[in-house]
Amino acid sequence: MSITYLEAIRAAQERALRDDPRVYIYGQDIATFGGAFKATRNLAKEFPGRVLDAPISEDAMVGSAIGAAIEGMRPIVEMQFADFSAVAVNQIVNQAATLYWRTQVACPITIRLPSGGNPGSGPFHSQSLESLYSHFPGLVVMTPATVEDAYTMLLEAVEIDDPVIFCEHKYLYNRLKSDDLPETGLACDTARIARFGRDLTIVAYSAMVHESLAAAEQLRRDDIEVEVVDLRCVKPFDLDTVLGSVARTARLLCVGESWPWGGANSEVIASVVAHGFHLLDAPPQRINSKDTPIPFHPNLWSAHKPSSQLIAAAARRLYEW
Amino acid sequence: MPKVPIIMPQLGESIAEATVVRLTVNVGDQIESDQEVIEVETNKAVMSVTTPCKGLIESLTAEVNETYPVGSTLGYIEASVEDAERLNASKPPGFDQSPALDDAAASQPSPASVSQEHSSQSLEIPGSLDGTAFQSPRLKARLRELGIHPAEAGVIPGSGLAGRVTIQDFEAYLEELNRLPSKKASPMRLAVADSMRRSWTRPLATLGVSVSLEPILAHRKTLSPSPGPALYLAKAVAIALSEYPQSAGRLVGHKIVLPDSIDIGVAVEVEDGVIVPVFASLDKQPLAELPGQYKKFLQAAKEKRLPEEAKRPGIASVTNFGTLGVHWATPIPLPNETMIVGLGYGEKRPFWDEKTERFVPRLEAELTISFDHRVIDGGQSGRLVRRIMALLAAPETL
């Protein structure tokens, strides 16, 4: 049996619906149509009345989910594209994120954001918004990089009492496959060492974990052993594991697909510099997408986002520094 | 005809880019393999870029006075099909993807110039391109952890950018050291090492003169217990400095700080180091009382248990290196002192006696003064030495 990243997301939702009567899914075209990416294929048939088509208003979708959560439900909201969640930012950051802190009433909603670039998708269907949502206290922001994590972390997102922004990467949907789904996984705020190495630490998450692993393979030919840390969750993130890795390698390169200014990479680097300055033998570096809107043309898009080649070149410079 | 690029080669370790200074061929020229076609200059030397194969210069994209990173294309050669296949096959790996991703390679076109986007300028060594002086936070922390002074890391050959010492270089150096026999340095040794290192940050100068020891030897016999030459010297230095206190001033920032009491140290050799007990207000103490005090200090120094009053910082020290059979030395003053006065080995030498117009045997030794040249100069130290000589020639005045 082989299961894709996208199928793992569907399977997690199926299990959540089955295990917990408080769970329901709300999103545009997700019932009969099965969702823009088919992440809810057949779930409406299997769970009548619990997989609901929403009007084309992200604002209303999240707002009603918050209300349901207050009344004891555990809604999953599907955005068609992460980019469209910008319409619901008021509900997400002003209402959901602050609710518990204002009222001691939990807000256990999960908002699924199909994120990241695909060739030819352009500025409105490619964005990675993990850095944006990480800025707001009260939100948990997950960025799974593997089929297994897509499954167990989504289940955990539904269980967590805090609002969770679940950034699932579209590029991985059908390209990433695994043999089987696990029963349980690591807790979401624990990073995973995806590859051990002595010479340099790359901290990445989501699709960039795979680009970083490919870069590590390129560098292995020159006897440069790169350690790759998969953050899994960018907020909160597992500083201990990152510091432990930097203690071994003394060099840090952060890779993320969101934009450079004030992002997840910046936060990791700032924390490492503040808590582990004495561990660093070279200035920490980061690679993000270029600081421009995302281009349509596939060639431009390839040059716009971090690639394994760019990561390998940056890692080599850092290693030789 | 297929094209083969002329590439800016890796011209040496830590060289990331080079500036074109001259093109030695023209477009259309016939060239051989390994022919020098472009002269480039790095921060280290002028070198040549050579052709990878023979053929015709198809184009030269490099411009004189422009700087290009290693790996840049500087021009193209029209080459034979075989050469082109051979050379273009060994170009750097393309836009690789993780094997975990299915159709990634097909859907991701390769951007041509990503690998040339940065040069090492984006990762510059702070301060200057001379990396040998740079120490990373990790290296500094490691040095501190091991109690190694940063200057010690200067002996390690660096493999990093611009020759900086990386943490790996340092750990390799430590492993190399572990192969050699070693023992733990005593606290005394470490204290002396630290003191000398701190003192050595100043420009120190030494001058010396020959002095007669005859008057001292004659005078010692009149006292019981009789003081040694070092005590005569210490007392003479104390009196001279009480007359020229500015010579014992310390330079602190933009101030010369003068002493308020003439406290003189006398260096004593102990096991694995040197201890310098200090005689407080030595200019005011009678010479006859010094031997008793000195004996007490000596015993205490050997036990490394100096009384508190002998531990306070002095303004100058004397050292009798003559007891080691040494004629001349350039001792280093303590970090808080501006000078140290030394006395060499006493021996009979011929001395021209103006009165009898004959050489007569005379017991002489070399008197040295090593001083912080920021505070005093040759003239001042010379006058001080002559005054000390005069006092030693008239020991009854001490």
Side-chain angles (χ1 to χ4, degrees):
Chain A
M1 178 191 152
S2 162
I3 184 158
T4 64
Y5 183 93
L6 179 65
E7 285 161 355
I9 289 166
R10 187 197 168 279
Q13 293 180 109
E14 186 180 26
R15 180 167 154 189
L17 286 165
R18 195 170 52 237
D19 290 356
D20 189 340
R22 297 171 299 172
V23 173
Y24 74 98
I25 310 177
Y26 197 38
Q28 293 158 21
D29 289 333
I30 64 165
T32 319
F33 190 63
F37 295 97
K38 305 296 176 194
T40 54
R41 188 200 299 268
N42 293 334
L43 289 181
K45 221 180 287 173
E46 214 179 316
F47 302 96
R50 295 175 65 195
V51 180
L52 307 170
D53 278 329
I56 304 179
S57 169
E58 289 75 11
D59 192 18
M61 279 155 54
V62 177
S64 82
I66 294 168
I70 291 170
E71 293 300 320
M73 302 297 279
R74 302 187 91 83
I76 299 172
V77 175
E78 177 185 301
M79 296 287 166
Q80 266 189 354
F81 286 86
D83 316 59
F84 304 167
S85 72
V87 180
V89 161
N90 173 52
Q91 288 297 340
I92 298 172
V93 309
N94 287 335
Q95 301 300 330
T98 62
L99 183 68
Y100 175 79
W101 303 87
R102 290 182 284 122
T103 65
Q104 276 78 62
V105 174
C107 186
I109 65 171
T110 299
I111 304 175
R112 289 181 35 236
L113 304 188
S115 304
N118 248 332
S121 295
F124 306 129
H125 301 82
S126 306
Q127 295 179 78
S128 298
L129 299 182
E130 65 277 1
S131 292
L132 172 74
Y133 289 114
S134 293
H135 182 70
F136 295 94
L139 298 176
V140 171
V141 182
M142 297 185 184
T143 48
T146 65
V147 173
E148 292 79 1
D149 276 351
Y151 181 71
T152 62
M153 289 175 77
L154 183 50
L155 286 169
E156 193 178 353
V158 174
E159 270 173 38
I160 288 176
D161 278 344
D162 295 302
V164 175
I165 307 296
F166 190 82
C167 302
E168 46 194 62
H169 205 291
K170 300 195 293 290
Y171 193 84
L172 302 179
Y173 270 169
N174 296 309
R175 290 178 175 89
L176 206 57
K177 289 182 179 135
S178 183
D179 291 337
D180 221 343
L181 291 177
E183 265 306 296
T184 55
L186 285 176
C188 75
D189 56 356
T190 308
R192 173 181 71 103
I193 296 186
R195 183 187 199 280
F196 286 93
R198 59 166 192 263
D199 293 325
L200 183 135
T201 297
I202 295 181
V203 171
Y205 55 87
S206 194
M208 289 303 126
V209 170
H210 302 284
E211 296 289 340
S212 301
L213 288 169
E217 279 305 304
Q218 290 175 30
L219 294 169
R220 193 171 62 89
R221 293 175 214 149
D222 300 326
D223 203 29
I224 301 173
E225 288 295 346
V226 173
E227 182 149 306
V228 178
V229 176
D230 172 7
L231 276 189
R232 301 176 70 244
C233 190
V234 297
K235 177 136 186 213
F237 84 91
D238 180 1
L239 180 59
D240 287 349
T241 297
V242 173
L243 283 176
S245 179
V246 174
R248 287 189 288 279
T249 65
R251 285 169 166 76
L252 174 65
L253 171 65
C254 290
V255 184
E257 198 175 330
S258 64
W259 285 296
W261 214 100
N265 279 350
S266 334
E267 192 54 39
V268 172
I269 288 177
S271 301
V272 168
V273 169
H275 297 279
F277 190 60
H278 60 291
L279 302 174
L280 291 165
D281 195 47
Q285 297 294 301
R286 61 176 167 160
I287 304 181
N288 289 84
S289 288
K290 303 282 180 294
D291 199 10
T292 69
I294 297 165
F296 274 106
H297 195 283
N299 287 5
L300 286 177
W301 171 74
S302 286
H304 183 268
K305 73 174 190 67
S307 64
S308 64
Q309 206 183 39
L310 202 64
I311 297 167
R316 184 187 302 277
R317 271 200 312 282
L318 186 55
Y319 172 74
E320 288 168 354
W321 194 80
Chain B
M1 288 270 267
K3 293 201 295 183
V4 169
I6 304 169
I7 302 284
M8 177 73 82
Q10 185 70 50
L11 298 155
E13 271 182 40
S14 84
I15 304 250
E17 57 184 24
T19 306
V20 173
V21 288
R22 203 159 69 91
L23 305 173
T24 55
V25 291
N26 295 310
V27 171
D29 284 2
Q30 189 71 41
I31 44 95
E32 291 301 309
S33 181
D34 287 328
Q35 183 177 334
E36 299 182 349
V37 289
I38 300 170
E39 271 181 17
V40 295
E41 187 173 9
T42 69
N43 54 3
K44 293 195 175 160
V46 172
M47 286 177 263
S48 289
V49 177
T50 56
T51 50
C53 61
K54 68 177 198 174
L56 217 63
I57 298 287
E58 191 262 351
S59 62
L60 288 168
T61 51
E63 286 177 28
V64 172
N65 291 333
E66 286 296 312
T67 300
Y68 300 90
V70 168
S72 305
T73 300
L74 305 175
Y76 286 95
I77 301 167
E78 276 186 19
S80 67
V81 176
E82 301 84 73
D83 277 341
E85 272 179 7
R86 176 173 58 84
L87 291 163
N88 291 337
S90 63
K91 70 183 175 192
F95 198 62
D96 283 6
Q97 271 290 351
S98 161
L101 300 180
D102 260 8
D103 55 347
S107 67
Q108 293 216 345
S110 163
S113 64
V114 280
S115 65
Q116 293 170 20
E117 193 168 284
H118 299 274
S119 74
S120 69
Q121 280 175 338
S122 60
L123 253 180
E124 205 168 287
I125 296 274
S128 73
L129 263 179
D130 180 11
T132 48
F134 176 80
Q135 291 182 336
S136 72
R138 173 73 166 251
L139 181 57
K140 280 184 183 156
R142 190 79 172 106
L143 290 168
R144 207 156 45 232
E145 181 180 39
L146 298 171
I148 298 177
H149 188 266
E152 317 259 341
V155 304
I156 305 168
S159 69
L161 186 66
R164 87 171 176 105
V165 177
T166 67
I167 190 70
Q168 285 82 3
D169 294 333
F170 179 69
E171 299 295 347
Y173 169 76
L174 285 183
E175 272 185 30
E176 188 63 25
L177 283 190
N178 282 341
R179 295 191 313 106
L180 301 171
S182 66
K183 61 168 189 169
K184 204 169 155 52
S186 67
M188 166 67 69
R189 192 69 255 151
L190 293 177
V192 173
D194 185 56
S195 174
M196 289 300 101
R197 181 187 55 70
R198 282 187 287 130
S199 199
W200 196 245
T201 56
R202 303 174 292 177
L204 299 171
T206 300
L207 57 85
V209 293
S210 298
V211 293
S212 168
L213 298 180
E214 303 281 358
I216 298 176
L217 290 188
H219 187 261
R220 306 182 55 177
K221 291 181 183 137
T222 67
L223 295 175
S224 177
S226 61
L231 291 180
Y232 277 95
L233 181 62
K235 179 74 190 177
V237 168
I239 291 172
L241 284 179
S242 70
E243 295 163 5
Y244 299 97
Q246 69 279 10
S247 299
R250 285 183 297 146
L251 184 67
V252 182
H254 293 159
K255 275 186 183 170
I256 300 280
V257 181
L258 297 177
D260 62 350
S261 106
I262 307 296
D263 305 335
I264 306 293
V266 178
V268 175
E269 191 192 9
V270 295
E271 192 195 343
D272 210 23
V274 178
I275 283 184
V276 188
V278 171
F279 291 81
S281 303
L282 185 56
D283 56 326
K284 299 195 176 79
Q285 296 197 41
L287 183 62
E289 281 175 22
L290 297 184
Q293 203 180 342
Y294 183 61
K295 201 175 161 196
K296 217 171 63 190
F297 284 172
L298 208 60
Q299 190 54 41
K302 293 229 159 90
E303 291 164 12
K304 294 176 184 169
R305 249 183 265 162
L306 279 185
E308 281 308 314
E309 80 261 21
K311 275 204 245 173
R312 33 187 291 195
I315 63 165
S317 292
V318 299
T319 172
N320 187 4
F321 50 78
T323 56
L324 311 170
V326 174
H327 288 95
W328 230 90
T330 59
I332 299 169
L334 290 169
N336 54 301
E337 298 179 356
T338 291
M339 69 180 67
I340 183 166
V341 181
L343 191 62
Y345 180 62
E347 62 185 352
K348 292 270 187 198
R349 289 182 199 158
F351 175 75
W352 182 254
D353 187 345
E354 293 285 353
K355 262 188 243 161
T356 58
E357 297 199 326
R358 290 195 305 165
F359 280 105
V360 292
R362 190 175 83 159
L363 189 66
E364 282 184 3
E366 301 302 317
L367 176 75
T368 66
I369 173 167
S370 303
F371 56 92
D372 180 349
H373 210 325
R374 297 175 309 165
V375 181
I376 55 175
D377 306 311
Q380 225 172 330
S381 54
R383 279 190 290 280
L384 194 68
V385 163
R386 279 202 299 281
R387 179 64 185 135
I388 294 169
M389 280 174 77
L391 288 163
L392 291 178
E396 64 283 357
T397 61
L398 292 174

